[in-house]
């Protein structure tokens, strides 16, 4: 399995500001993903973080609002830009090590509250 | 696109009882993976069990087993001898392999809140 850490674990931010969330894996992985979990809801895929190229966003999510970087095979960041209270959620990264695992491992999540 | 449906928002059983959580899905794919994830209050997503669509045999992991009915697109989770530590949100999820040894992101159901009563 993969060991995944996220920073920060939680934050309280003011509306109009931006927050960058980091995801670090202890080994090189094929793919990394970012999910949003709104209060009391299920997880929704935001985007696939592609190493060396632009992220692939799901419907309803745009790069200007959620810019993503993936500079190498073990690290990715998600920025939540120009935040509003509706952005208050848990943000989780996951990794897919490769076809020899065929499952995704999740980080501990970042709980974001926007005032 | 695929969809995952969990029709039981909440379930409650007594400790040591057996409980079954339901999940149905819709897809036009023939090769895919199905999962049950557990999310306790700590919010960490924990993989409970995995099923490959090409395998007819139902997956089992200790007290956890699935009933995978591919034709009916049904994937239920059975928890035997339930324990207090099983109290959590349970999410059913779908994953499609992608080209080049990759995979698509997971599609989740809305979840079932399982409460184990002492």
């Amino acid at each position: 399995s993969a060991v995944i850490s996220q920073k920060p674990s939680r934050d309280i931010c003011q509306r109009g500001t931006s927050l960058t969330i980091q995801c670090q894996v202890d080994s090189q992985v094929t793919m990394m993903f970012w999910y949003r979990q709104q209060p009391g809801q299920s997880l929704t895929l935001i985007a696939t973080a592609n190493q060396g190229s632009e992220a692939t966003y799901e419907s309803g999510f745009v790069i200007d609002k959620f810019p993503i970087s993936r500079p190498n095979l073990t690290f990715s960041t998600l920025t939540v830009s120009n935040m509003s209270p509706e952005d208050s959620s848990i943000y989780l990264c996951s990794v897919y090590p490769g076809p020899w695992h065929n499952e995704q491992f999740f980080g501990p999540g970042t709980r974001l509250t926007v005032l | 696109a695929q969809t995952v449906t969990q029709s039981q928002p909440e379930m409650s059983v007594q400790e040591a009882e057996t409980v079954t959580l339901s999940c149905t899905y819709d897809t036009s794919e023939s090769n895919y993976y199905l999962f049950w994830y557990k999310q306790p209050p700590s919010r960490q997503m924990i993989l409970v069990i995995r099923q490959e669509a090409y395998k007819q045999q139902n997956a089992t992991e200790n007290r956890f087993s699935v009933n995978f009915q591919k034709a009916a697109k049904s994937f239920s989770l059975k928890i035997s001898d339930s324990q207090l530590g099983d109290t959590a949100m349970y999410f059913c999820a779908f994953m499609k392999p992608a080209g080049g040894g990759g995979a698509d992101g997971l599609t989740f159901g809305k979840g079932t809140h399982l409460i184990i009563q002492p």
Side-chain angles (χ1 to χ4, degrees):
Chain A
S1 65
V3 178
I4 306 162
S5 60
Q6 281 187 235
K7 290 181 182 179
S9 60
R10 60 177 60 223
D11 208 341
I12 301 173
C13 301
Q14 297 297 319
R15 69 169 65 214
T17 63
S18 298
L19 176 72
T20 295
I21 302 168
Q22 299 179 3
C23 179
Q24 178 76 54
V25 194
D26 68 340
S27 58
Q28 294 185 344
V29 295
T30 301
M31 306 187 75
M32 298 179 77
F33 304 92
W34 286 98
Y35 295 83
R36 181 177 73 182
Q37 186 175 26
Q38 294 177 299
Q41 304 295 314
S42 184
L43 285 75
T44 300
L45 179 66
I46 297 172
T48 303
N50 300 309
Q51 194 267 327
S53 64
E54 198 170 279
T56 304
Y57 290 85
E58 298 298 305
S59 176
F61 298 96
V62 295
I63 187 171
D64 290 346
K65 177 67 176 178
F66 298 101
I68 288 171
S69 77
R70 189 178 174 193
N72 56 52
L73 293 176
T74 64
F75 185 78
S76 178
T77 66
L78 167 75
T79 299
V80 186
S81 303
N82 188 25
M83 289 184 286
S84 66
E86 291 71 36
D87 294 320
S88 296
S89 296
I90 298 170
Y91 292 87
L92 301 101
C93 71
S94 78
V95 304
Y96 176 76
W100 51 92
H101 277 287
N102 282 319
E103 62 186 85
Q104 293 188 21
F105 300 93
F106 282 83
T110 296
R111 183 182 294 274
L112 171 63
T113 302
V114 184
L115 302 177
Chain B
Q2 48 279 335
T3 59
V4 178
T5 302
Q6 293 179 251
S7 57
Q8 303 154 312
E10 184 170 290
M11 296 187 71
S12 180
V13 298
Q14 297 294 123
E15 195 175 6
E17 289 184 346
T18 294
V19 60
T20 299
L21 308 184
S22 301
C23 174
T24 59
Y25 61 96
D26 191 25
T27 184
S28 58
E29 303 292 332
S30 58
N31 184 26
Y32 51 88
Y33 297 84
L34 296 165
F35 307 91
W36 280 97
Y37 280 91
K38 169 185 177 181
Q39 187 180 42
S42 67
R43 78 173 179 258
Q44 176 69 55
M45 294 290 286
I46 301 165
L47 179 66
V48 174
I49 200 164
R50 174 185 68 202
Q51 175 77 45
E52 294 87 343
Y54 62 85
K55 288 187 178 179
Q56 291 187 334
Q57 187 173 6
N58 289 323
T60 62
E61 288 287 343
N62 301 313
R63 298 183 295 110
F64 300 88
S65 61
V66 299
N67 183 2
F68 174 49
Q69 301 291 327
K70 190 173 183 179
K73 295 180 181 173
S74 171
F75 182 61
S76 62
L77 174 70
K78 185 172 82 170
I79 305 174
S80 303
D81 185 26
S82 57
Q83 301 174 359
L84 297 179
D86 294 333
T87 294
M89 283 294 293
Y90 286 80
F91 293 100
C92 180
F94 175 103
M95 185 181 80
K96 180 171 74 74
D104 287 354
L106 293 163
T107 300
F108 286 90
K110 290 186 181 297
T112 297
H113 184 205
L114 176 64
I115 301 168
I116 310 299
Q117 306 274 10

